[in-house]
Coordinates of all heavy atoms in Angstrom, one line a residue:
M1 N 94.4 153.7 134.9 CA 94.3 153.1 133.6 C 93.2 153.8 132.7 O 92.1 154.0 133.2 CB 94.1 151.6 133.7 CG 94.0 150.9 132.4 SD 93.9 149.2 132.7 CE 94.8 148.6 131.4
E2 N 93.5 154.1 131.5 CA 92.5 154.7 130.7 C 91.5 153.8 130.1 O 91.9 152.6 129.6 CB 93.4 155.4 129.5 CG 92.6 156.5 128.9 CD 93.5 157.3 127.8 OE1 94.6 157.6 128.2 OE2 93.0 157.5 126.8
D3 N 90.3 154.2 130.0 CA 89.3 153.4 129.4 C 89.4 153.2 127.9 O 89.5 154.2 127.1 CB 87.9 154.0 129.7 CG 86.7 153.3 129.3 OD1 86.9 152.1 128.8 OD2 85.6 153.8 129.3
P4 N 89.5 152.1 127.4 CA 89.8 151.8 125.9 C 88.6 152.2 125.1 O 88.6 152.2 123.9 CB 90.0 150.3 125.8 CG 89.4 149.7 127.0 CD 89.5 150.8 128.1
T5 N 87.4 152.5 125.7 CA 86.3 152.9 124.9 C 86.0 154.4 124.8 O 85.0 154.8 124.5 CB 85.0 152.2 125.5 OG1 84.8 152.6 126.8 CG2 85.1 150.7 125.4
T6 N 87.0 155.2 125.2 CA 87.0 156.6 125.2 C 86.8 157.0 123.7 O 87.3 156.4 122.8 CB 88.1 157.4 125.8 OG1 89.3 157.0 125.2 CG2 88.2 157.1 127.4
P7 N 86.2 158.2 123.4 CA 86.1 158.6 122.1 C 87.5 158.7 121.3 O 87.5 158.4 120.2 CB 85.4 160.1 122.2 CG 84.7 160.0 123.4 CD 85.5 159.1 124.4
D8 N 88.5 159.3 122.0 CA 89.8 159.3 121.3 C 90.3 157.9 121.0 O 90.8 157.7 119.9 CB 90.8 160.0 122.3 CG 90.5 161.6 122.3 OD1 89.9 162.1 121.5 OD2 91.0 162.1 123.4
R9 N 90.2 157.0 121.8 CA 90.7 155.7 121.6 C 89.9 155.0 120.4 O 90.4 154.3 119.6 CB 90.5 154.7 122.8 CG 91.4 155.1 123.9 CD 92.8 154.4 123.7 NE 93.5 154.6 124.9 CZ 94.7 154.2 125.1 NH1 95.2 153.3 124.3 NH2 95.4 154.5 126.1
E10 N 88.5 155.3 120.5 CA 87.7 154.7 119.4 C 88.1 155.4 118.0 O 88.0 154.6 117.0 CB 86.2 155.1 119.8 CG 85.2 154.4 118.8 CD 85.1 152.9 118.9 OE1 85.6 152.3 119.7 OE2 84.6 152.3 117.9
L11 N 88.2 156.6 117.9 CA 88.7 157.3 116.7 C 90.0 156.7 116.2 O 90.2 156.5 115.0 CB 88.8 158.8 116.9 CG 87.5 159.6 116.9 CD1 87.8 161.0 117.3 CD2 86.8 159.4 115.7
D12 N 90.9 156.5 117.1 CA 92.2 155.9 116.7 C 92.0 154.5 116.2 O 92.7 154.2 115.2 CB 93.2 155.8 118.0 CG 93.7 157.2 118.4 OD1 93.6 158.1 117.5 OD2 94.2 157.3 119.5
R13 N 91.2 153.8 116.8 CA 90.9 152.3 116.2 C 90.3 152.4 114.9 O 90.6 151.7 114.0 CB 89.9 151.7 117.2 CG 89.7 150.3 116.9 CD 88.7 149.6 117.8 NE 87.4 150.2 117.7 CZ 86.5 149.9 116.6 NH1 86.8 149.1 115.7 NH2 85.3 150.5 116.5
I14 N 89.3 153.4 114.7 CA 88.6 153.5 113.4 C 89.6 153.9 112.4 O 89.7 153.4 111.2 CB 87.4 154.5 113.4 CG1 86.4 153.8 114.3 CG2 87.0 154.9 112.1 CD1 85.2 154.8 114.7
R15 N 90.5 154.9 112.7 CA 91.5 155.4 111.7 C 92.5 154.2 111.3 O 92.8 154.1 110.2 CB 92.4 156.5 112.3 CG 91.6 157.8 112.4 CD 92.5 158.9 112.8 NE 91.7 160.1 113.0 CZ 91.6 160.8 114.2 NH1 92.1 160.4 115.2 NH2 90.8 161.9 114.2
E16 N 92.8 153.4 112.4 CA 93.7 152.3 112.0 C 93.0 151.2 111.1 O 93.7 150.7 110.2 CB 94.3 151.6 113.3 CG 95.2 150.5 113.1 CD 96.4 150.8 112.4 OE1 96.9 152.0 112.5 OE2 97.0 149.9 111.8
Q17 N 91.8 151.0 111.3 CA 91.0 150.2 110.5 C 91.0 150.6 109.1 O 91.1 149.9 108.1 CB 89.6 149.9 111.0 CG 89.5 149.1 112.2 CD 88.0 148.9 112.7 OE1 87.2 149.8 112.5 NE2 87.8 147.8 113.3
R18 N 90.7 151.9 108.9 CA 90.7 152.5 107.5 C 92.0 152.3 106.8 O 92.1 152.0 105.6 CB 90.2 154.0 107.7 CG 88.8 154.1 107.9 CD 88.5 155.6 107.9 NE 87.0 155.7 108.2 CZ 86.4 156.9 108.3 NH1 87.1 158.0 108.1 NH2 85.1 156.9 108.5
V19 N 93.1 152.6 107.5 CA 94.4 152.5 106.9 C 94.7 151.0 106.5 O 95.1 150.8 105.3 CB 95.6 152.9 108.0 CG1 96.9 152.5 107.4 CG2 95.5 154.4 108.1
Q20 N 94.3 150.1 107.3 CA 94.5 148.7 107.0 C 93.7 148.3 105.8 O 94.0 147.6 104.9 CB 94.2 147.8 108.2 CG 95.2 148.0 109.3 CD 96.6 147.6 108.8 OE1 96.9 146.6 108.1 NE2 97.6 148.4 109.3
L21 N 92.4 148.9 105.8 CA 91.5 148.5 104.6 C 92.0 149.1 103.3 O 92.0 148.4 102.3 CB 90.1 149.1 104.9 CG 89.1 148.8 103.9 CD1 88.9 147.3 103.7 CD2 87.7 149.4 104.3
K22 N 92.5 150.3 103.4 CA 93.1 150.9 102.2 C 94.3 150.2 101.6 O 94.6 149.9 100.5 CB 93.6 152.4 102.4 CG 92.4 153.3 102.5 CD 92.8 154.7 102.9 CE 91.7 155.7 103.1 NZ 92.1 157.0 103.3
L23 N 95.1 149.6 102.6 CA 96.4 149.0 102.2 C 95.9 147.6 101.7 O 96.5 147.2 100.5 CB 97.3 148.7 103.5 CG 98.5 147.9 103.3 CD1 99.4 148.5 102.2 CD2 99.1 147.7 104.6
R24 N 95.0 146.9 102.2 CA 94.5 145.6 101.7 C 93.9 145.8 100.3 O 94.1 145.0 99.4 CB 93.5 145.1 102.7 CG 93.1 143.6 102.3 CD 92.3 143.0 103.4 NE 90.9 143.6 103.3 CZ 90.1 143.7 104.4 NH1 90.4 143.1 105.5 NH2 89.0 144.2 104.3
H25 N 93.2 146.9 100.1 CA 92.5 147.1 98.8 C 93.6 147.3 97.8 O 93.5 146.9 96.6 CB 91.6 148.4 99.0 CG 90.9 148.7 97.6 ND1 89.9 147.8 97.1 CD2 91.0 149.6 96.8 CE1 89.4 148.4 96.0 NE2 90.1 149.5 95.7
A26 N 94.6 148.2 98.1 CA 95.7 148.4 97.1 C 96.4 147.2 96.8 O 96.8 147.0 95.6 CB 96.6 149.5 97.7
Q27 N 96.7 146.4 97.8 CA 97.4 145.1 97.5 C 96.6 144.2 96.7 O 97.1 143.6 95.7 CB 97.7 144.4 98.8 CG 98.7 145.1 99.6 CD 98.9 144.5 101.0 OE1 98.0 143.9 101.6 NE2 100.1 144.7 101.6
A28 N 95.2 144.1 96.9 CA 94.4 143.2 96.1 C 94.3 143.8 94.7 O 94.3 143.0 93.7 CB 93.0 143.2 96.7
L29 N 94.2 145.1 94.5 CA 94.1 145.6 93.2 C 95.4 145.3 92.4 O 95.4 144.9 91.2 CB 93.9 147.2 93.3 CG 93.9 147.9 91.9 CD1 92.7 147.3 91.0 CD2 93.7 149.4 92.1
T30 N 96.6 145.5 93.0 CA 97.8 145.3 92.4 C 97.9 143.8 92.0 O 98.4 143.5 90.9 CB 99.0 145.7 93.3 OG1 98.8 147.1 93.6 CG2 100.3 145.5 92.7
T31 N 97.6 142.9 92.9 CA 97.7 141.5 92.6 C 96.8 141.2 91.4 O 97.1 140.5 90.5 CB 97.2 140.7 93.8 OG1 98.1 141.0 94.9 CG2 97.2 139.2 93.5
L32 N 95.6 141.7 91.4 CA 94.6 141.4 90.3 C 95.2 141.9 89.0 O 95.2 141.2 88.0 CB 93.3 142.1 90.6 CG 92.3 142.0 89.5 CD1 91.9 140.5 89.2 CD2 91.1 142.9 89.8
M33 N 95.7 143.2 88.9 CA 96.3 143.7 87.7 C 97.5 142.9 87.2 O 97.7 142.8 86.0 CB 96.6 145.1 87.9 CG 95.4 146.1 88.2 SD 94.2 146.0 86.9 CE 94.9 147.3 85.8
V34 N 98.3 142.3 88.2 CA 99.4 141.5 87.7 C 98.9 140.3 87.2 O 99.5 139.8 86.1 CB 100.3 141.2 89.0 CG1 101.4 140.1 88.7 CG2 101.1 142.5 89.4
E35 N 97.9 139.6 87.7 CA 97.4 138.4 87.3 C 96.6 138.5 86.0 O 96.6 137.5 85.2 CB 96.6 137.7 88.4 CG 97.3 137.3 89.6 CD 96.5 136.8 90.7 OE1 95.2 136.9 90.6 OE2 97.0 136.3 91.7
R36 N 96.0 139.6 85.8 CA 95.1 139.8 84.7 C 95.5 141.0 83.7 O 94.9 142.1 83.9 CB 93.6 140.1 85.1 CG 93.0 138.9 86.0 CD 92.4 137.8 85.1 NE 91.6 138.3 84.1 CZ 90.3 138.6 84.2 NH1 89.6 138.3 85.3 NH2 89.6 139.0 83.2
D37 N 96.4 140.7 82.8 CA 96.9 141.8 82.0 C 95.8 142.3 81.1 O 95.8 143.5 80.6 CB 98.1 141.3 81.1 CG 99.3 141.1 81.9 OD1 99.5 141.8 82.9 OD2 100.1 140.3 81.5
D38 N 94.8 141.4 80.8 CA 93.6 141.8 80.0 C 92.8 142.9 80.6 O 92.0 143.6 79.9 CB 92.8 140.6 79.6 CG 92.1 139.9 80.8 OD1 92.9 139.7 81.8 OD2 90.9 139.6 80.8
L39 N 92.9 143.2 81.9 CA 92.1 144.2 82.5 C 92.8 145.6 82.3 O 92.0 146.6 82.6 CB 92.1 144.0 84.0 CG 91.2 142.6 84.4 CD1 91.2 142.4 85.9 CD2 89.8 142.8 83.9
R40 N 94.0 145.7 82.0 CA 94.6 147.0 81.7 C 93.9 147.7 80.6 O 93.7 147.2 79.6 CB 96.0 146.8 81.4 CG 96.8 148.1 81.5 CD 98.2 148.1 81.9 NE 98.7 148.1 83.2 CZ 98.6 149.2 84.0 NH1 97.8 150.2 83.7 NH2 99.3 149.2 85.1
G41 N 93.6 149.0 81.0 CA 92.9 149.8 80.0 C 91.4 149.7 80.0 O 90.7 150.5 79.4
V42 N 90.8 148.8 80.9 CA 89.3 148.7 81.0 C 88.8 149.7 81.9 O 87.8 150.3 81.6 CB 89.0 147.3 81.5 CG1 87.5 147.2 81.7 CG2 89.5 146.2 80.5
H43 N 89.5 150.1 82.9 CA 89.0 151.1 83.8 C 90.2 152.0 84.2 O 91.2 151.6 84.8 CB 88.4 150.4 85.1 CG 87.6 151.3 86.0 ND1 88.1 152.3 86.8 CD2 86.3 151.3 86.2 CE1 87.2 152.9 87.4 NE2 86.0 152.3 87.0
A44 N 90.0 153.3 83.8 CA 91.1 154.3 83.9 C 91.5 154.4 85.4 O 92.7 154.5 85.7 CB 90.7 155.6 83.4
L45 N 90.6 154.4 86.3 CA 91.0 154.6 87.7 C 91.7 153.4 88.3 O 92.7 153.6 89.0 CB 89.7 154.9 88.6 CG 90.0 155.3 90.0 CD1 90.7 156.6 90.1 CD2 88.6 155.5 90.8
A46 N 91.4 152.2 87.9 CA 92.2 151.1 88.3 C 93.6 151.1 87.7 O 94.5 150.8 88.5 CB 91.5 149.8 87.8
D47 N 93.8 151.5 86.5 CA 95.1 151.7 85.9 C 95.9 152.7 86.7 O 97.0 152.6 87.0 CB 94.9 152.1 84.5 CG 94.5 151.0 83.5 OD1 94.4 149.8 84.0 OD2 94.1 151.3 82.4
Y48 N 95.3 153.8 87.0 CA 95.9 154.9 87.8 C 96.5 154.3 89.1 O 97.7 154.7 89.5 CB 95.0 156.1 88.0 CG 95.5 157.1 88.9 CD1 96.4 158.1 88.4 CD2 95.1 157.2 90.3 CE1 96.9 159.1 89.3 CE2 95.6 158.2 91.0 CZ 96.6 159.1 90.6 OH 97.0 160.0 91.4
F49 N 95.6 153.8 89.8 CA 96.1 153.3 91.2 C 97.1 152.1 91.0 O 98.0 152.1 91.9 CB 94.9 152.8 92.0 CG 94.1 154.0 92.6 CD1 92.9 154.4 92.2 CD2 94.7 154.8 93.7 CE1 92.2 155.4 92.7 CE2 94.0 155.8 94.2 CZ 92.8 156.2 93.8
D50 N 97.0 151.3 90.1 CA 97.9 150.3 89.8 C 99.3 150.9 89.6 O 100.3 150.6 90.2 CB 97.5 149.4 88.7 CG 98.5 148.2 88.5 OD1 98.9 147.6 89.5 OD2 98.9 148.0 87.3
D51 N 99.3 152.0 88.7 CA 100.6 152.6 88.4 C 101.1 153.4 89.6 O 102.3 153.4 89.8 CB 100.4 153.6 87.2 CG 100.1 153.0 85.9 OD1 100.5 151.8 85.7 OD2 99.5 153.6 85.0
A52 N 100.2 154.0 90.4 CA 100.7 154.7 91.5 C 101.3 153.9 92.5 O 102.3 154.1 93.2 CB 99.5 155.4 92.2
V53 N 100.8 152.6 92.8 CA 101.3 151.6 93.7 C 102.6 151.2 93.2 O 103.6 151.0 94.0 CB 100.3 150.4 93.9 CG1 101.0 149.4 94.7 CG2 99.1 151.0 94.7
R54 N 102.8 150.9 92.0 CA 104.0 150.4 91.4 C 105.1 151.4 91.5 O 106.2 151.2 91.8 CB 103.9 150.0 89.9 CG 103.1 148.8 89.8 CD 102.8 148.5 88.2 NE 101.8 147.5 88.1 CZ 102.1 146.3 87.7 NH1 103.3 146.0 87.4 NH2 101.1 145.4 87.6
W55 N 104.8 152.7 91.3 CA 105.8 153.8 91.4 C 106.2 154.1 92.8 O 107.3 154.5 93.1 CB 105.3 155.1 90.7 CG 105.4 155.1 89.3 CD1 104.4 154.8 88.4 CD2 106.6 155.3 88.5 NE1 105.0 154.9 87.1 CE2 106.3 155.1 87.1 CE3 107.9 155.6 88.9 CZ2 107.2 155.3 86.1 CZ3 108.9 155.8 87.9 CH2 108.6 155.7 86.5
S56 N 105.3 153.8 93.7 CA 105.6 154.1 95.1 C 106.4 153.0 95.8 O 106.9 153.1 96.9 CB 104.4 154.4 95.9 OG 103.6 153.2 96.1
A57 N 106.5 151.9 95.2 CA 107.2 150.7 95.8 C 108.7 150.9 95.7 O 109.3 151.5 95.0 CB 106.8 149.4 95.0

């Protein structure tokens, strides 16, 4: 049986956490932009990611 604390397993765990965090952040940003139309145009990067998420759906 392989040790779950090996460097490869640890890197895989960290990568998975990062993917989940990015997904959660994208979902939260999209939800916020849907709920708050007044925020559109306030921050260009937020608008960009909101549009990117919508186009990829």
Side-chain angles (χ1 to χ4, degrees):
M1 180 174 214
E2 201 173 313
D3 181 9
T5 60
T6 62
D8 288 338
R9 295 271 186 177
E10 186 66 16
L11 283 175
D12 288 343
R13 185 186 64 76
I14 292 169
R15 285 185 186 120
E16 181 61 27
Q17 282 179 333
R18 286 183 178 180
V19 167
Q20 292 301 318
L21 183 60
K22 286 179 184 180
L23 178 60
R24 189 173 70 204
H25 181 71
Q27 289 171 335
L29 177 60
T30 302
T31 300
L32 177 64
M33 295 300 279
V34 166
E35 292 174 354
R36 298 276 312 271
D37 289 334
D38 60 314
L39 293 176
R40 190 152 267 300
V42 174
H43 196 285
L45 189 58
D47 290 347
Y48 171 80
F49 281 109
D50 183 45
D51 290 339
V53 169
R54 289 171 192 253
W55 278 100
S56 67

